[in-house]
């Protein structure tokens, strides 16, 4: 298991524990609503005719449906919130990696997008320019990627922009997460919310 996977797994484990508590609380709310509805139905049916029993049954069904919708919507909203939070935590974990680990990760992105035999320009954000960029250049050189690091920072919070002439490859952490969002959300859903 790679360092990235270990970090993501740790994040996912914490998020799963939080999600389980939230789901448990939501189910308790559903039970309370159902219990109140059943009590209302019992009280109402004891004092009404058979027509009132039919109405009470409909009220109960509607209340249960409404409660199910409320719980379902709350679960979906919480899932979305937890996914966004998990992706944010994953980004922060990536940004807090040591220079060596961080630039190793960025090198793997560069390898997939760099043009062999052509010199490009890497544009980093301000915080990444403060890191040991010589380590990054060394890793890129080992992969036979020829680039210069721009002294002018981009307005990004991690990752880089790889530029060849007028063509730019957006390899920022945000862009990579957005590009892989569907796959990441599926993985997070399966880990946090497996039922």
């Amino acid at each position: 298991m790679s360092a990235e996977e270990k970090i993501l797994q740790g994040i996912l484990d914490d998020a799963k524990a939080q999600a389980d508590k939230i789901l448990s609380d939501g189910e308790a709310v559903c039970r309370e609503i159902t219990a109140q509805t059943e009590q209302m139905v019992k009280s109402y049916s004891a004092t009404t005719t058979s027509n009132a029993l039919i109405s009470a049954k409909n009220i109960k069904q509607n209340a249960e449906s409404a409660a199910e919708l409320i719980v379902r919507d709350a679960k979906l909203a919480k899932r979305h919130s937890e996914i966004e939070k998990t992706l944010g935590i994953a980004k922060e974990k990536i940004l807090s990696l040591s220079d060596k680990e961080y630039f190793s990760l960025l090198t793997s992105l560069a390898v997939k997008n760099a043009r062999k035999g052509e010199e490009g320009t890497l544009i980093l954000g301000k915080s990444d320019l403060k890191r040991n960029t010589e380590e990054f250049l060394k890793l890129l050189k080992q992969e036979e990627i020829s680039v210069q690091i721009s002294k002018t920072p981009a307005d990004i919070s991690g990752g880089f922009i790889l530029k060849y002439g007028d063509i730019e490859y957006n390899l920022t952490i945000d862009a990579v997460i957005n590009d892989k969002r569907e796959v990441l959300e599926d993985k997070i859903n399966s880990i946090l919310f497996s039922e």
Side-chain angles (χ1 to χ4, degrees):
M1 185 180 278
S2 72
E4 298 167 33
E5 291 172 329
K6 287 180 182 176
I7 291 169
L8 185 55
Q9 187 61 48
I11 293 167
L12 293 174
D13 289 343
D14 290 346
K16 180 169 180 18
Q18 290 177 2
D20 287 344
K21 181 177 181 338
I22 290 164
L23 290 175
S24 174
D25 292 346
E27 289 168 356
V29 168
C30 183
R31 285 191 298 274
E32 182 179 333
I33 291 170
T34 301
Q36 289 174 355
T37 302
E38 288 173 351
Q39 184 60 38
M40 183 179 71
V41 168
K42 287 177 185 176
S43 173
Y44 187 71
S45 65
T47 60
T48 61
T49 64
S50 64
N51 286 341
L53 288 173
I54 292 170
S55 294
K57 183 177 179 184
N58 290 336
I59 290 170
K60 180 183 179 202
Q61 288 173 341
N62 290 339
E64 287 175 345
S65 293
E68 288 172 6
L69 286 174
I70 290 168
V71 170
R72 186 203 68 195
D73 289 347
K75 284 180 180 180
L76 288 175
K78 190 57 185 172
R79 281 185 181 195
H80 178 73
S81 171
E82 288 302 315
I83 287 169
E84 290 304 315
K85 190 158 95 177
T86 301
L87 290 174
I89 291 169
K91 178 183 174 183
E92 290 305 314
K93 290 283 187 180
I94 290 168
L95 294 175
S96 68
L97 292 171
S98 69
D99 287 357
K100 184 174 183 173
E101 292 171 316
Y102 181 71
F103 286 133
S104 177
L105 174 67
L106 294 188
T107 299
S108 67
L109 291 174
V111 166
K112 294 175 186 173
N113 295 279
R115 296 180 181 178
K116 299 286 182 173
E118 190 174 338
E119 185 167 323
T121 303
L122 271 177
I123 306 169
L124 298 169
K126 287 180 184 178
S127 60
D128 286 352
L129 282 173
K130 294 176 184 175
R131 289 178 178 256
N132 182 4
T133 56
E134 292 303 317
E135 176 74 25
F136 193 18
L137 288 173
K138 179 181 164 186
L139 291 169
L140 293 170
K141 188 174 182 178
Q142 289 173 355
E143 295 293 336
E144 299 177 3
I145 297 172
S146 177
V147 293
Q148 293 180 4
I149 295 179
S150 172
K151 300 296 182 200
T152 306
D155 187 19
I156 58 176
S157 63
F160 59 93
I161 296 170
L162 180 58
K163 187 173 180 177
Y164 291 99
D166 292 337
I167 298 172
E168 292 184 354
Y169 297 94
N170 184 352
L171 300 169
T172 61
I173 301 302
D174 290 331
V176 171
I177 287 173
N178 285 335
D179 185 49
K180 303 292 184 193
R181 179 172 285 279
E182 192 172 308
V183 172
L184 292 169
E185 285 178 356
D186 287 345
K187 286 184 179 183
I188 293 168
N189 260 324
S190 69
I191 292 169
L192 293 182
F193 306 110
S194 61
E195 295 176 3

